[in-house]
Amino acid sequence: MKAALFKSHYQIKLADTDAAGVLYFSSLYDIIHGVYESYMHISSLSLKKIIDEKNYFLPIIHSEADYKQFMLLGDMIQIQLFLDNTSQHTFTLRYELYNKKEQKTALAKTVHLSIDKTTTQKINLPDELIYILTKNITNITK
Amino acid sequence: MKAALFKSHYQIKLADTDAAGVLYFSSLYDIIHGVYESYMHISSLSLKKIIDEKNYFLPIIHSEADYKQFMLLGDMIQIQLFLDNTSQHTFTLRYELYNKKEQKTALAKTVHLSIDKTTTQKINLPDELIYILTKNITNITK
Amino acid sequence: MKAALFKSHYQIKLADTDAAGVLYFSSLYDIIHGVYESYMHISSLSLKKIIDEKNYFLPIIHSEADYKQFMLLGDMIQIQLFLDNTSQHTFTLRYELYNKKEQKTALAKTVHLSIDKTTTQKINLPDELIYILTKNITNITK
Amino acid sequence: MKAALFKSHYQIKLADTDAAGVLYFSSLYDIIHGVYESYMHISSLSLKKIIDEKNYFLPIIHSEADYKQFMLLGDMIQIQLFLDNTSQHTFTLRYELYNKKEQKTALAKTVHLSIDKTTTQKINLPDELIYILTKNITNITK
């Protein structure tokens, strides 16, 4: 079983909730993307650096989520980030969310395509990115 | 081929975009959910009414999206809402997004579970909901 | 009494609400900025055009809002946009929000500074912008 | 000079930015409200507890912000929370934001009204709240 690339915690904020009293479904995507951003940042390949300095982009071409338990205002959620798989041009991240009772509350995926910033044509995954995704930094808790 | 339940338009706002200059991936979910809300509202079964007056909830248990074309600030997007399928306890909505050149820019789905508001146990889809989802109001443009 | 530059309607969406069951306070700013964007768009000086083609930016240097009535999921809100005043380098927009009972639900302002895109130094308000803000297109309802 | 009630850090996320490449103005309000929520949580009077268990609400009746420096994707911001003042029925929080160079990037305020949850009429600030706002827990860094 593969180890998590990264583990992080997030406390559900009022802005994330809706009038039904629970986490609004799209807020989950903001939370998991924040974990991806944190991981890239600590791996010295921040999204800021990619946008400003690199000749490639890594746009999300697919996202999905399964919601298993309601998440409520103030809930402290642990998010585990995994590399699900890579192809020549894409990588897939998997996010598992757990509440304080260690119940899985949600599962999500994002598929990222490597494209040339100028031509917007797909290109091979950059080596520096593959390195970060496969070096297996485990058990880092933010 | 099934007809759309509903068609709507949305112009990409600054709040929906990100520093990469395009629609932020999770904003897509806010946009499509807004279309679902509009459809329920004009069908006289608004989410407000469900939350306040009904004994059931329709939480999203799965969502997914494929991003096919970048959507940019100011782009006018047409969103078509389809009933993808129903089961005893769930219904699946499909959303197709098109730009002004009639190119499909994204495809998304949300799966909703019918639950009892008190017990949170799954229940049969309410008849009033089935009626709305299958009555085939077509070609209504907001 | 000055006439509104623009009038628009917005129906409160689930994404705008929070677990207290009402419009989340910062969502008000998204709503009013959307009205500003719509006005600029119909005035042929869209934010997209400014970001992509112009040598100036109009960043918000101050924003404020007074919340007078709770706004709830599904509420249809009328927003009136006014030019509050201009100075050499800034313009102030005022937004008045009304519910269906014609009660004022909120009041908001945004102050925008005209800056040179390259130097980021403040510059005189562009003539094309002054024209749009003072031409008094009234009673246009989106 | 009054000491901060609380200090926190926040790293600007992609979701917070817009196509102009900077922090979107309303995202500032989400960030500062998160700091307020964290402070209430560590003070054992979480918003969750207030919404679920208390007979009062503390809705925001006014908010304002001054934006002094652009904040960019990935910027690590320090937020200092101050009690600005209290009246019989209201309290005003002030938030000062600093970048890594210790430049003030923004200043914001929120005014909260104490109301009875049932009648929605204004009531005296609850003692338990006054205690939290004035006990001067300083130099706690999240």
Side-chain angles (χ1 to χ4, degrees):
Chain A
M1 188 184 159
K2 255 189 285 192
L5 283 174
F6 187 59
K7 295 178 185 177
S8 183
H9 287 85
Y10 182 83
Q11 191 166 26
I12 306 296
K13 296 288 184 295
L14 193 60
D16 306 319
T17 62
D18 64 31
V22 300
L23 181 76
Y24 179 63
F25 86 112
S26 89
S27 299
L28 178 70
Y29 290 104
D30 294 334
I31 294 169
I32 62 166
H33 200 273
V35 174
Y36 162 58
E37 291 179 62
S38 292
Y39 179 65
M40 295 295 278
H41 180 80
I42 63 150
S43 300
S44 301
L45 186 63
S46 70
L47 269 60
K48 168 78 174 159
K49 189 184 278 187
I50 293 175
I51 291 173
D52 286 356
E53 300 174 20
K54 300 296 180 179
N55 62 344
Y56 59 87
F57 268 140
L58 303 170
I60 291 173
I61 55 168
H62 177 81
S63 64
E64 61 177 84
D66 292 302
Y67 309 83
K68 295 171 183 298
Q69 301 267 346
F70 287 127
M71 287 173 270
L72 304 176
L73 176 61
D75 280 1
M76 185 59 78
I77 302 296
Q78 192 202 52
I79 306 116
Q80 299 187 7
L81 170 66
F82 296 87
L83 176 64
D84 211 52
N85 63 66
T86 61
S87 73
Q88 191 180 352
H89 307 296
T90 70
F91 64 98
T92 301
L93 299 175
R94 192 175 80 251
Y95 310 82
E96 297 181 4
L97 287 82
Y98 296 89
N99 63 18
K100 282 201 140 175
K101 296 175 190 160
E102 299 189 9
Q103 296 168 314
K104 192 178 288 187
T105 57
L107 187 69
K109 286 187 184 180
T110 52
V111 182
H112 302 247
L113 179 68
S114 176
I115 63 171
D116 182 279
K117 204 179 275 186
T118 312
T119 66
T120 72
Q121 294 303 299
K122 63 187 174 186
I123 55 174
N124 286 355
L125 288 183
D127 286 344
E128 62 189 5
L129 177 69
I130 294 174
Y131 174 73
I132 283 169
L133 296 175
T134 56
K135 68 185 172 180
N136 259 338
I137 293 173
T138 55
N139 300 317
I140 292 167
T141 300
K142 192 177 97 178
Chain B
M1 192 185 155
K2 256 188 285 193
L5 284 173
F6 185 59
K7 294 178 186 178
S8 184
H9 286 86
Y10 182 83
Q11 189 167 28
I12 306 295
K13 295 287 184 298
L14 193 60
D16 307 317
T17 62
D18 65 29
V22 300
L23 181 76
Y24 181 63
F25 86 113
S26 90
S27 299
L28 178 70
Y29 289 104
D30 295 334
I31 294 168
I32 61 165
H33 200 273
V35 174
Y36 161 58
E37 291 179 62
S38 292
Y39 179 65
M40 295 296 277
H41 179 80
I42 62 150
S43 302
S44 301
L45 186 62
S46 69
L47 269 62
K48 169 78 175 160
K49 190 183 276 185
I50 294 175
I51 292 173
D52 286 357
E53 301 174 18
K54 301 295 178 178
N55 62 345
Y56 60 87
F57 267 139
L58 302 170
I60 291 173
I61 57 168
H62 177 80
S63 64
E64 60 179 82
D66 291 301
Y67 309 83
K68 294 171 183 301
Q69 301 267 347
F70 288 126
M71 286 172 271
L72 305 177
L73 176 61
D75 280 0
M76 185 60 77
I77 301 296
Q78 192 203 50
I79 306 115
Q80 300 187 5
L81 170 66
F82 297 87
L83 176 65
D84 211 51
N85 63 65
T86 61
S87 74
Q88 189 179 353
H89 307 297
T90 69
F91 64 98
T92 301
L93 299 174
R94 192 175 81 252
Y95 310 83
E96 298 182 4
L97 288 82
Y98 296 89
N99 62 18
K100 283 201 139 177
K101 297 174 191 159
E102 301 189 8
Q103 295 168 315
K104 193 178 286 186
T105 57
L107 188 69
K109 285 186 186 182
T110 53
V111 182
H112 302 248
L113 179 67
S114 177
I115 64 171
D116 182 279
K117 205 179 271 185
T118 312
T119 67
T120 72
Q121 295 303 299
K122 60 186 176 188
I123 55 173
N124 286 355
L125 289 183
D127 285 344
E128 62 188 5
L129 177 69
I130 293 174
Y131 174 73
I132 283 170
L133 295 175
T134 56
K135 68 183 170 180
N136 260 339
I137 294 173
T138 55
N139 299 318
I140 293 167
T141 300
K142 193 176 91 179
Chain C
M1 191 185 155
K2 256 189 286 191
L5 283 173
F6 186 59
K7 296 178 185 178
S8 183
H9 286 86
Y10 182 83
Q11 190 167 28
I12 306 296
K13 296 286 184 298
L14 194 60
D16 306 317
T17 62
D18 64 31
V22 300
L23 181 77
Y24 180 63
F25 86 113
S26 90
S27 300
L28 178 71
Y29 290 104
D30 295 334
I31 294 169
I32 61 165
H33 200 273
V35 174
Y36 162 58
E37 291 179 62
S38 292
Y39 179 65
M40 295 296 277
H41 179 79
I42 62 150
S43 301
S44 300
L45 186 63
S46 69
L47 270 60
K48 169 76 175 161
K49 190 184 276 185
I50 293 175
I51 291 173
D52 286 357
E53 300 173 20
K54 301 295 179 180
N55 61 344
Y56 59 86
F57 267 139
L58 303 169
I60 291 173
I61 57 167
H62 177 80
S63 64
E64 60 178 83
D66 291 302
Y67 309 83
K68 294 172 182 300
Q69 301 267 346
F70 287 127
M71 286 172 270
L72 305 177
L73 176 62
D75 280 1
M76 184 61 76
I77 302 296
Q78 192 203 50
I79 306 115
Q80 299 187 5
L81 169 66
F82 297 86
L83 176 64
D84 212 51
N85 63 66
T86 60
S87 74
Q88 190 180 352
H89 307 296
T90 69
F91 64 98
T92 302
L93 299 174
R94 192 175 82 250
Y95 309 83
E96 298 183 3
L97 288 81
Y98 296 89
N99 62 19
K100 282 201 141 178
K101 297 174 192 159
E102 300 189 9
Q103 296 168 314
K104 193 178 287 188
T105 57
L107 187 69
K109 286 187 185 181
T110 52
V111 182
H112 302 248
L113 179 67
S114 176
I115 64 171
D116 182 278
K117 206 180 270 185
T118 311
T119 66
T120 72
Q121 295 303 299
K122 62 186 174 187
I123 55 173
N124 287 355
L125 288 184
D127 286 344
E128 61 188 6
L129 177 69
I130 293 174
Y131 174 72
I132 284 169
L133 295 176
T134 55
K135 69 183 170 180
N136 260 338
I137 293 173
T138 55
N139 299 318
I140 292 169
T141 301
K142 195 178 93 177
Chain D
M1 187 184 158
K2 255 187 285 191
L5 284 173
F6 186 58
K7 294 178 184 177
S8 183
H9 286 86
Y10 182 82
Q11 191 167 27
I12 306 296
K13 296 288 185 294
L14 194 60
D16 307 318
T17 62
D18 65 31
V22 300
L23 182 76
Y24 180 64
F25 86 112
S26 88
S27 300
L28 178 70
Y29 291 104
D30 296 332
I31 294 169
I32 62 166
H33 200 273
V35 174
Y36 162 58
E37 291 180 61
S38 293
Y39 179 65
M40 296 296 278
H41 179 80
I42 62 152
S43 301
S44 301
L45 186 62
S46 69
L47 270 60
K48 168 78 174 159
K49 189 183 278 185
I50 293 174
I51 291 173
D52 287 356
E53 301 174 19
K54 300 296 179 178
N55 61 345
Y56 59 87
F57 267 139
L58 303 169
I60 291 173
I61 55 166
H62 177 80
S63 65
E64 60 178 83
D66 291 302
Y67 308 84
K68 295 171 182 300
Q69 301 268 345
F70 287 127
M71 288 173 269
L72 305 176
L73 176 61
D75 279 1
M76 185 60 78
I77 302 296
Q78 193 202 50
I79 305 116
Q80 299 186 6
L81 170 66
F82 297 86
L83 176 64
D84 211 52
N85 63 66
T86 60
S87 73
Q88 190 180 351
H89 307 295
T90 69
F91 64 98
T92 301
L93 299 175
R94 191 175 82 251
Y95 310 82
E96 297 182 4
L97 287 82
Y98 296 89
N99 62 18
K100 282 201 140 175
K101 297 174 191 161
E102 301 189 7
Q103 296 167 313
K104 193 179 288 188
T105 56
L107 188 68
K109 286 187 184 182
T110 52
V111 182
H112 302 247
L113 178 67
S114 177
I115 63 171
D116 182 278
K117 205 179 274 185
T118 311
T119 66
T120 72
Q121 294 303 299
K122 62 187 175 185
I123 55 174
N124 286 353
L125 288 183
D127 285 344
E128 63 188 5
L129 177 69
I130 294 174
Y131 175 73
I132 283 169
L133 295 176
T134 55
K135 69 185 173 181
N136 260 338
I137 294 172
T138 55
N139 299 318
I140 293 167
T141 301
K142 191 176 98 179

